[in-house]
Amino acid sequence: MTKRDTQMSVMDAINGRRSVRSYTPGKLDAGTVRALLAAAVRAPTAIHQEPWSFLVLQDPAALKRLSDRAKVLFREEAQRAHLDRGGHTLDAFADPDFDVFYGAGTLVVICGPAGPFVPADCWLAAENLMLAAHALGLGTCVIGCSLAALNAPEVKGELGIPSELSAVAPVIVGVPAGETPPTTRKEARILAWN
């Protein structure tokens, strides 16, 4: 893996990060994963609780099983919530060959216990992880459609997530297979400036 200079500015990392949906085969080495986790735990945390725990999943068979389970559960959830609205956005989830992890060989799931600030803390850790990955020349993407599967009791048991914890922030990480173009963003909507 070719690593970028990790000394890029914060603004360059923020503006350059993309949600990557195509990866080269293979998993990240342990040193790289540990560097990303070290960045994650530097995130702000309410009352200095540091509630996060991390699941690193790199087994191809387990990733495939999780993807298959996630497709079924997300499709059911999306249909109940009428997220499709008559379009074709859910068609990919019916395709047996579709991989919700886009071929990435590493999934990092940030987990936490119940608590009022835990989701925010976990998502702050996820952003640190994603910015650090970008600085290293890696791609990331949040895979929210996998949450229902990750929090299913039988999947938690299989993956070693304790029952008192919930998966909060699932992020795939890997070497991008090509360039991901930038996307446009709306300007900040300012409700008030007193």
Side-chain angles (χ1 to χ4, degrees), residues 52-180:
W52 41 64
S53 297
F54 301 87
L55 164 71
V56 178
L57 187 59
Q58 295 182 309
D59 175 55
L63 285 165
K64 169 79 168 101
R65 285 191 307 276
L66 182 57
S67 175
D68 290 344
R69 181 86 165 116
K71 288 187 294 189
V72 170
L73 292 177
F74 181 72
R75 194 172 161 96
E76 290 171 359
E77 184 179 339
Q79 287 171 338
R80 278 193 307 276
H82 305 289
L83 295 180
D84 198 11
R85 306 255 190 253
H88 300 285
T89 57
L90 296 179
D91 289 351
F93 290 87
D95 180 351
D97 295 325
F98 175 63
D99 174 14
V100 302
F101 304 118
Y102 301 103
T106 301
L107 170 66
V108 177
V109 183
I110 304 173
C111 302
F117 305 115
V118 171
D121 286 350
C122 290
W123 282 111
L124 287 165
E127 183 68 6
N128 270 20
L129 184 147
M130 291 186 288
L131 291 173
H134 175 67
L136 294 173
L138 300 170
T140 60
C141 190
V142 172
I143 308 297
C145 67
S146 68
L147 279 172
L150 284 163
N151 283 310
E154 66 277 7
V155 174
K156 287 172 70 170
E158 177 188 339
L159 297 178
I161 300 173
S163 61
E164 67 274 9
L165 299 181
S166 294
V168 177
V171 180
I172 51 173
V173 188
V175 177
E179 292 294 316
T180 301

Side-chain angles (χ1 to χ4, degrees), residues 5-89:
D5 176 12
T6 58
Q7 299 304 309
M8 74 170 51
S9 77
V10 173
M11 294 309 291
D12 286 342
I14 290 169
N15 290 318
R17 189 214 59 80
R18 310 275 186 265
S19 291
V20 176
R21 292 180 176 87
S22 180
Y23 294 86
T24 61
K27 61 185 180 180
L28 300 181
D29 62 85
T32 300
V33 172
R34 288 190 187 285
L36 295 175
L37 298 179
V41 300
R42 296 301 308 165
T45 175
I47 320 169
H48 201 64
Q49 291 296 300
E50 301 182 59
W52 41 64
S53 297
F54 301 87
L55 164 71
V56 178
L57 187 59
Q58 295 182 309
D59 175 55
L63 285 165
K64 169 79 168 101
R65 285 191 307 276
L66 182 57
S67 175
D68 290 344
R69 181 86 165 116
K71 288 187 294 189
V72 170
L73 292 177
F74 181 72
R75 194 172 161 96
E76 290 171 359
E77 184 179 339
Q79 287 171 338
R80 278 193 307 276
H82 305 289
L83 295 180
D84 198 11
R85 306 255 190 253
H88 300 285
T89 57

